Amino acid sequence: MIRLSAGRLDRIVTVGAHCDDIAIGAGGTLLTLCLARPGVRVDALVLSGGGSEREQEEQAALAAFCPGADLRLTVLKLPDGRMPAHWDEAKAAVEELRGQTDPDLVLAPRTDDAHQDHRALAKLLPTAFRDHLVLGYEIVKWDGDLGRPAAYQPLSPEIAEQKVRLLQEHYPSQRHRPWYDREAFLGLARIRGIECHARYAEAFAVTKLTLDLGD
């Protein structure tokens, strides 16, 4: 297993189609980054859920997942399940976000995610963040779309447990879902951990990566 560092991370962008996408897909990575880099700037954009209880959940959850960070969260009101039909609005939101920050890292959905909202957002990211490291997080679902990731962020057992606890604590609207439980979240993290010689991990797709091996 080859380990590469992204260098100094001062600014992070993370985006989700729905409230809880970011926390499910990259919550452990955010916890790891923010605990290691107090004061890091995190710009978060969520396309749906604005003005509802879901937005309130997201505000509290991301504050907990980004301890000590300079968190700037925007939650829009695009309709759940209809993102492709609202391409122009989503694209404008992503471009506005790009105009506000030049991040060192972008955390986003995967381009091959089976959910149409996730996939549409993922395909928008390269149009605005053209020269940035974009890691595509995964969300387990009934579609069975989990693949072979290219990048891993190991999680300590403490971080993995904290992620699960925060997911259960901050998203009560999702607790009734059959897949939303401790076994699902820790189980996937354990499998990804095995794949990168760690106890737990979050895994990501990488569409394009430029190396600089001459320095």
Side-chain angles (χ1 to χ4, degrees):
M1 176 64 65
I2 300 173
R3 292 180 178 265
L4 297 176
S5 172
R8 183 170 179 82
L9 297 175
D10 295 318
R11 292 157 300 188
I12 301 168
V13 158
T14 183
V15 299
H18 316 100
C19 296
D20 78 16
D21 284 354
I22 294 170
I24 292 174
T29 297
L30 285 174
L31 281 167
T32 300
L33 285 170
C34 292
L35 289 171
R37 297 169 175 83
V40 63
R41 174 170 166 175
V42 179
D43 288 271
L45 171 66
V46 180
L47 295 185
S48 65
S52 70
E53 68 171 356
R54 299 280 277 139
E55 179 177 4
Q56 298 174 10
E57 289 179 345
E58 189 76 340
Q59 289 174 340
L62 289 191
F65 275 103
C66 301
D70 176 12
L71 175 63
R72 309 179 188 194
L73 170 64
T74 300
V75 182
L76 303 183
K77 299 181 180 180
L78 299 187
D80 186 353
R82 298 290 186 271
M83 300 296 173
H86 294 264
W87 179 270
D88 289 344
E89 296 164 82
K91 182 176 177 62
V94 170
E95 290 177 343
E96 181 178 355
L97 175 62
R98 174 64 182 92
Q100 297 169 354
T101 183
D102 185 20
D104 304 302
L105 172 66
V106 179
L107 300 171
R110 296 177 298 126
T111 55
D112 57 351
D113 193 297
H115 194 297
Q116 68 272 15
D117 291 353
H118 301 172
R119 190 169 60 250
L121 176 56
K123 290 181 178 179
L124 277 172
L125 266 294
T127 69
F129 296 92
R130 295 179 178 273
D131 299 307
H132 301 81
L133 175 60
V134 180
L135 299 181
Y137 56 72
E138 56 184 358
I139 297 177
V140 64
K141 61 181 79 67
W142 73 271
D143 305 82
D145 63 351
L146 297 179
R148 298 185 64 182
Y152 298 83
Q153 171 58 52
L155 306 178
S156 69
E158 294 77 15
I159 290 292
E161 291 284 356
Q162 186 177 3
K163 173 184 175 177
V164 173
R165 178 177 58 79
L166 292 177
L167 285 172
Q168 295 289 352
E169 177 182 343
H170 288 289
Y171 296 103
S173 67
Q174 304 304 297
R175 292 176 189 156
H176 69 283
R177 299 185 181 277
W179 54 267
Y180 197 91
D181 60 30
R182 171 186 172 83
E183 288 180 300
F185 299 135
L186 273 187
L188 180 58
R190 180 68 186 109
I191 290 171
R192 296 315 189 196
I194 291 171
E195 292 172 350
C196 69
H197 301 298
R199 182 64 185 175
Y200 298 106
E202 286 177 339
F204 301 90
V206 180
T207 302
K208 186 183 293 186
L209 177 65
T210 299
L211 299 176
D212 183 0
L213 303 179
D215 292 338

